[in-house]
Amino acid sequence: MRLTVDPRDASILLSLPTRAALRPALAWAAGKRDWIETELARLPGPHPIAPGMVFLFGGEQVQLNWDWSLPRSVGLADGIITIGGPADSLAPRLLRFLRREALTMLEQETRMLAARHGISVTRVAVGDPKARWGSCASSGDIRYSWRLILAPADVRRATVAHEVAHRIHMNHGAAFHALVAELHEADPNPARLWLRSHGAALHWFGRDG
């Protein structure tokens, strides 16, 4: 039996061997309460959207300025994101804006990198997956987590290089990793380590609890 706590959403997973009895497993898991609480205490914690908050956007720090009298449409200038309108719709409107901007930025970077190296890419899209920061289909479609726009620029670009490299190598062999480094024009390992250490916190952005 195995018990894990997912740092991305605080869900607790109990894994059992085939044909294992459920009742004894649940009793065993209940006895791990102290361990579970310790692991939950280590999680990044909610990062709710609130006026005045500062966060990374496209690799640069920005501040959120909300006032009901401002225009309802989201604006960005000189490191300030401005939003007006009702306070109760602030969070969903900001998240929609970030998702649109993430698609624009990631599609532009993906297509520019692919074109520079003569690599074909069909469709670029964004979603909000838990398990992957990016994925590449054999059809040439590439899909990213929109939350990469909340990461440092080098981390985002290394992820783009990773997915574009999959258009040549649909595996994680030595040739693939060499191509990622070539496309990224730097060692991609620091970006990979950053996501392992800090990526879970990106999934808590915009959450109240």
Side-chain angles (χ1 to χ4, degrees):
M1 295 182 292
R2 184 166 177 258
L3 198 62
T4 57
V5 175
D6 192 329
R8 298 162 297 190
D9 60 7
S11 60
I12 300 168
L13 177 66
L14 174 61
S15 302
L16 306 178
T18 304
R19 292 188 291 277
L22 180 59
R23 184 172 294 178
L26 292 175
W28 174 79
K32 301 294 184 179
R33 179 176 296 275
D34 289 345
W35 177 85
I36 293 173
E37 290 179 352
T38 298
E39 292 300 303
L40 290 174
R42 294 175 178 170
L43 298 184
H47 190 179
I49 292 170
M53 70 185 299
V54 176
F55 59 95
L56 274 184
F57 170 80
E60 304 289 338
Q61 278 201 336
V62 296
Q63 185 172 32
L64 177 61
N65 178 26
W66 170 84
D67 189 281
W68 69 270
S69 62
L70 292 171
R72 291 174 62 95
S73 58
V74 183
L76 172 63
D78 301 323
I80 304 294
I81 292 179
T82 56
I83 307 182
D88 58 2
S89 65
L90 169 62
R93 284 187 289 134
L94 176 63
L95 292 173
R96 286 195 296 269
F97 168 78
L98 294 176
R99 185 165 178 148
R100 289 195 303 268
E101 291 296 308
L103 175 57
T104 298
M105 185 174 293
L106 286 163
E107 180 161 26
Q108 181 182 50
E109 292 179 346
T110 298
R111 295 199 181 280
M112 287 180 63
L113 182 63
R116 192 182 310 143
H117 293 270
I119 300 172
S120 65
V121 171
T122 52
R123 180 172 176 264
V124 178
V126 297
D128 195 13
K130 287 184 181 181
R132 295 182 178 183
W133 296 106
S135 60
C136 178
S138 57
S139 64
D141 289 357
I142 293 179
R143 188 174 183 87
Y144 298 101
S145 167
W146 74 262
R147 294 178 186 272
L148 285 168
I149 203 170
L150 305 172
D154 187 66
V155 172
R156 184 186 70 251
R157 291 173 184 144
T159 306
V160 169
H162 184 105
E163 299 310 327
V164 171
H166 273 313
R167 291 293 297 119
I168 305 300
H169 303 287
M170 292 295 286
N171 56 60
H172 288 97
F176 165 79
H177 289 294
L179 181 56
V180 174
E182 178 185 344
L183 296 177
H184 188 47
E185 299 181 346
D187 182 2
N189 286 319
R192 188 179 301 115
L193 292 174
W194 189 95
L195 283 173
R196 287 179 183 173
S197 300
H198 306 286
L202 304 186
H203 290 281
W204 290 81
F205 182 90
R207 293 177 56 180
D208 295 322

